[in-house]
Amino acid sequence: QQQVKQSPQSLIVQKGGIPIINCAYENTAFDYFPWYQQFPGKGPALLIAIRPDVSEKKEGRFTISFNKSAKQFSLHIMDSQPGDSATYFCAASNYGGATNKLIFGTGTLLAVQP
Amino acid sequence: SQTIHQWPATLVQPVGSPLSLECTVEGTSNPNLYWYRQAAGRGLQLLFYSVGIGQISSEVPQNLSASRPQDRQFILSSKKLLLSDSGFYLCAWRPGQNYGYTFGSGTRLTVV
């Protein structure tokens, strides 16, 4: 119940394409769903996050779509660029919980070809 | 401003040697602190978390331990390293409830 399942494991798109990364969770107590971007040799950086009271959130070229009934959420990258090539992790947690442990998906390695 | 520091950035240690990795946070008080490990090409595994000084919770049984001697200091230790301890170790913090996580820059540990 604590798992977050992420797919695909890797993804290759052409510049300008729209890569989509999907995640699913089981624990209905989760109420905070962030996405992290990680470049090689660096720590993950928070990209965008969503709470379950909305179905979509946009920040620049990045969009999270959230389906509470299906317990699924996804990341869309509009007009993808070679600089977006990185590993992307979805995560989930009980946002207001005292310990607030962040459970990560297994990651998606994205390559955007020029 | 609030920042997180991890050191060293890279470390090569022989099997059986001790380990001490340090993480400190600046510009805040009473943060929740976390240690994660990332094996090569893999996801992030939560190892330990702490909600206050001296309060440590372990997520994965192993030969690692953690301590929080001061409010903004979190230390990951081992008495005897194993080859399987190799990986990328990340410290993260959360200022309190209703805030997201921020990660440090990580320590690349290679046990030889």
Side-chain angles (χ1 to χ4, degrees):
Chain A
Q1 259 221 338
Q2 286 291 84
Q3 284 187 329
V4 177
K5 296 181 179 180
Q6 183 173 347
S7 63
Q9 189 174 13
S10 62
L11 188 56
I12 301 174
V13 299
Q14 297 295 315
K15 177 183 176 182
I18 305 175
I20 300 173
I21 305 170
N22 300 297
C23 285
Y25 64 99
E26 290 294 327
N27 190 343
T28 55
F30 288 154
D31 60 0
Y32 174 65
F33 304 91
W35 284 89
Y36 283 81
Q37 179 188 56
Q38 184 180 31
F39 293 106
K42 304 295 184 183
L46 180 63
L47 194 59
I48 185 173
I50 196 168
R51 302 292 302 277
D53 52 342
V54 296
S55 60
E56 185 177 276
K57 183 175 181 179
K58 293 182 179 180
E59 286 188 6
R61 295 183 294 108
F62 300 93
T63 299
I64 298 179
S65 297
F66 185 80
N67 185 329
K68 187 175 181 178
S69 60
K71 291 184 285 187
Q72 296 176 347
F73 57 109
S74 60
L75 177 70
H76 301 231
I77 306 176
M78 310 301 290
D79 187 28
S80 59
Q81 301 297 312
D84 296 329
S85 298
T87 300
Y88 292 82
F89 292 95
C90 64
S93 75
N94 180 359
Y95 193 58
T99 56
N100 188 244
K101 293 181 289 184
L102 200 56
I103 308 300
F104 283 88
T106 50
T108 296
L109 180 60
L110 172 66
V112 181
Q113 296 182 336
Chain B
S1 63
Q2 300 165 336
T3 56
I4 180 170
H5 301 279
Q6 264 190 263
W7 66 91
T10 59
L11 192 59
V12 180
Q13 292 285 95
V15 169
S17 64
L19 173 73
S20 180
L21 302 180
E22 188 164 344
C23 171
T24 60
V25 180
E26 295 180 356
T28 187
S29 60
N30 196 32
N32 282 13
L33 296 171
Y34 308 83
W35 278 112
Y36 282 85
R37 178 171 60 197
Q38 185 176 29
R42 303 289 294 276
L44 295 124
Q45 180 186 38
L46 178 61
L47 301 175
F48 300 96
Y49 65 93
S50 172
V51 299
I53 295 174
Q55 300 179 61
I56 308 295
S57 295
S58 175
E59 288 291 301
V60 181
Q62 62 221 326
N63 70 322
L64 299 173
S65 62
S67 62
R68 185 169 176 176
Q70 300 180 40
D71 181 45
R72 290 170 291 175
Q73 184 185 33
F74 203 21
I75 297 173
L76 183 69
S77 304
S78 174
K79 292 182 179 179
K80 290 184 178 182
L81 283 169
L82 306 173
L83 287 174
S84 58
D85 292 324
S86 294
F88 192 43
Y89 288 83
L90 290 153
C91 180
W93 74 290
R94 183 174 76 105
Q97 293 186 10
N98 301 322
Y99 285 88
Y101 279 52
T102 298
F103 281 87
S105 54
T107 295
R108 174 74 60 193
L109 172 66
T110 304
V111 182
V112 296

